[in-house]
Amino acid sequence: MADRRKKTKIVDSYVTLQAAQRRAQDRPVPTPSEADSAATRPDTSPRKPGTHIGRTVMPTKYEIVCYSCDFMFKITGKAKNTYCPKCRTMLDLADHTITGVCTDELVTAGRVTLSSSAVLDGGRITANDVKLEGTVKSGHLQVHHTLELTEGAVIPEEMIHTRNLKIAAGASISFKRKAVFRDVDVFGEFRANLWAEGLVTVHPGGHLKGKLHASHFTVLEGGGLTADVIVEPKKPQPQTTPSPADKDAHEDKR
Amino acid sequence: MDTSTSAQTIIAAEVEIVGTIKTSGSIQINGTLDGDLQCDGDATIGKDARIKGNLNVNSVVLAGSITGNVTAKDRIQMQSSARVHGDIKAKRLSVEDGVTFIGHSEVNPSGQSSASSAGSAPKQESTESEGKSGLFGKK
């Protein structure tokens, strides 16, 4: 890490702007007489050799799941479309907001927001992320990455097909069936028999109730937990080095 | 070591205690305790500590292994190395990723009783949504 910092010789606009602002805040505006004397005075402050700023503003990375082959990859920054690196399908990354009754088919690798007045009735939505504020009556809702359930969300449990789940602040969601997801973020109230393969995070203001079975679990200060909990991180599998006999057998096969 | 600002009592790693510890101050346990701990102050259970018994404390930082129930008046903080087999009860809780916890938890920082009813479908009342968030934002 330290070596990387030494090698970096980047001063970008963001850092320059920050430095200028800091300088402006720190120094009082000099009077004309002070300014004149400062101009004649030689700069005696030692200059630090090799002082470089190794910080750049990196564009955000987004996780995209191909709706054709389910391959997950990351893209940097915003784009209108991209190709799946695995199956070469061109993926539409456009975001959509639905405000009325949806009976059509919508396929995107972007984000779909079903607003509070939206009703999915017989339509078919496939998206990377879905924010549900409205109602899902019938049809098909396939979420490849994260489904966010907000305060007004109404959706039958059996219609939830998502990898990750987010319970928004203010929402109060109850699941009767066993709920299986990868990552779960709880900002609101969530009552479920939850089985998570990834990380469950209870954020400040969030409350998880019911049963929890996960390997990774985090409660941030201010989060609530009223549940029967089984949290056991999976132990890493010991790497078995092949014995000399195995190696010989392998070579013989070749 | 200056213990005036941290724990008043320290049970070192090589110490094993069988019985109940009662203290009005704060305590740090790095050794083994086969019994209960009743502490009016703050308790710190070190990484190598092993406790078989119940903890009744004001607040506790857990990094070691505990087989028993933990009750805190204020706060339970579980660090990533913590292994808890038992029930926990506190006003506030923070859990780091990596903990092993098997038991029942009762932590409600808001102090409100649950008003939600279990239904087959997620349901809710009001329509006002929270702030826009997400990967791409709205179009």
Side-chain angles (χ1 to χ4, degrees), chain A residues 62 95 111 129 133 148 151-152 155 157 172 175 189 207 209 216 218-219 221 223 225-229 231, chain B residues 75 92 94-95 97 100-101 103-105 107-109 114 116 120 122-124 126 128-130 133 135-137:
Chain A
Y62 301 108
D95 300 343
R111 181 181 173 86
D129 297 295
E133 299 168 356
E148 183 180 351
E151 222 176 322
I155 180 171
E157 269 181 65
S172 179
F175 280 19
E189 190 180 301
H207 200 135
K209 296 174 180 176
H216 296 279
T218 305
V219 179
E221 182 78 42
L225 178 69
T226 310
D228 294 327
V229 183
V231 175
Chain B
R75 185 170 188 253
R92 296 186 293 158
S94 86
V95 180
D97 185 17
T100 300
F101 172 34
H104 181 77
S105 164
V107 178
N108 191 359
S114 65
S116 70
S120 61
K123 36 107 231 173
Q124 267 21 239
S126 108
E128 196 177 321
S129 66
E130 54 145 12
S133 62
L135 298 180
F136 295 93

Side-chain angles (χ1 to χ4, degrees), chain A residues 40-59:
Chain A
T40 53
R41 202 183 310 140
D43 185 17
T44 54
S45 60
R47 197 176 169 187
K48 289 179 187 172
T51 309
H52 301 291
I53 303 162
R55 184 178 165 190
T56 53
V57 180
M58 295 296 289

Side-chain angles (χ1 to χ4, degrees), chain A:
Chain A
M1 191 73 185
D3 292 338
R4 281 180 76 184
R5 276 186 189 157
K6 277 179 189 172
K7 284 176 190 171
T8 312
K9 294 179 179 176
I10 302 162
V11 177
D12 64 0
S13 56
Y14 173 71
V15 173
T16 312
L17 199 68
Q18 267 196 329
Q21 284 177 344
R22 216 180 300 128
R23 176 62 66 90
Q25 284 173 0
D26 291 348
R27 281 193 176 175
V29 179
T31 58
S33 59
E34 284 175 349
D36 289 343
S37 61
T40 53
R41 202 183 310 140
D43 185 17
T44 54
S45 60
R47 197 176 169 187
K48 289 179 187 172
T51 309
H52 301 291
I53 303 162
R55 184 178 165 190
T56 53
V57 180
M58 295 296 289
T60 317
K61 285 188 176 180
Y62 301 108
E63 266 185 2
I64 303 290
V65 181
C66 174
Y67 45 71
S68 180
C69 68
D70 271 358
F71 180 70
M72 188 193 278
F73 60 100
K74 286 183 180 178
I75 61 163
T76 306
K78 286 187 177 180
K80 284 185 179 175
N81 49 46
T82 187
Y83 285 96
C84 171
K86 192 178 178 188
C87 68
R88 305 303 299 166
T89 306
M90 192 168 132
L91 304 173
D92 177 23
L93 297 176
D95 300 343
H96 299 270
T97 301
I98 297 167
T99 53
V101 179
C102 177
T103 54
D104 303 331
E105 184 172 3
L106 173 62
V107 180
T108 177
R111 181 181 173 86
V112 172
T113 303
L114 285 148
S115 65
S116 54
S117 57
V119 178
L120 178 65
D121 196 358
R124 194 176 176 85
I125 295 175
T126 303
N128 200 55
D129 297 295
V130 169
K131 183 178 182 183
L132 182 61
E133 299 168 356
T135 306
V136 176
K137 271 188 182 173
S138 62
H140 185 77
L141 183 67
Q142 179 72 49
V143 186
H144 284 282
H145 196 260
T146 304
L147 171 65
E148 183 180 351
L149 298 175
T150 64
E151 222 176 322
V154 177
I155 180 171
E157 269 181 65
E158 60 273 13
M159 286 187 67
I160 295 177
H161 306 286
T162 181
R163 192 179 294 238
N164 306 323
L165 183 71
K166 181 179 172 186
I167 308 296
S172 179
I173 307 293
S174 294
F175 280 19
K176 254 190 171 180
R177 296 180 182 182
K178 180 179 163 184
V180 183
F181 301 103
R182 190 185 66 170
D183 296 341
V184 179
D185 285 283
V186 182
F187 290 87
E189 190 180 301
F190 187 34
R191 183 189 291 271
N193 177 9
L194 177 62
W195 287 64
E197 296 152 4
L199 175 66
V200 177
T201 307
V202 181
H203 294 265
H207 200 135
L208 179 61
K209 296 174 180 176
K211 290 179 181 177
L212 170 66
H213 197 291
S215 48
H216 296 279
F217 177 56
T218 305
V219 179
L220 302 178
E221 182 78 42
L225 178 69
T226 310
D228 294 327
V229 183
I230 298 177
V231 175
E232 279 184 295
K234 284 174 188 166
K235 286 171 187 170
Q237 295 288 329
Q239 287 187 343
T240 52
T241 51
S243 64
D246 292 341
K247 275 185 183 175
D248 292 344
H250 191 65
E251 281 168 9
D252 288 346
K253 275 184 186 176
R254 283 185 175 179

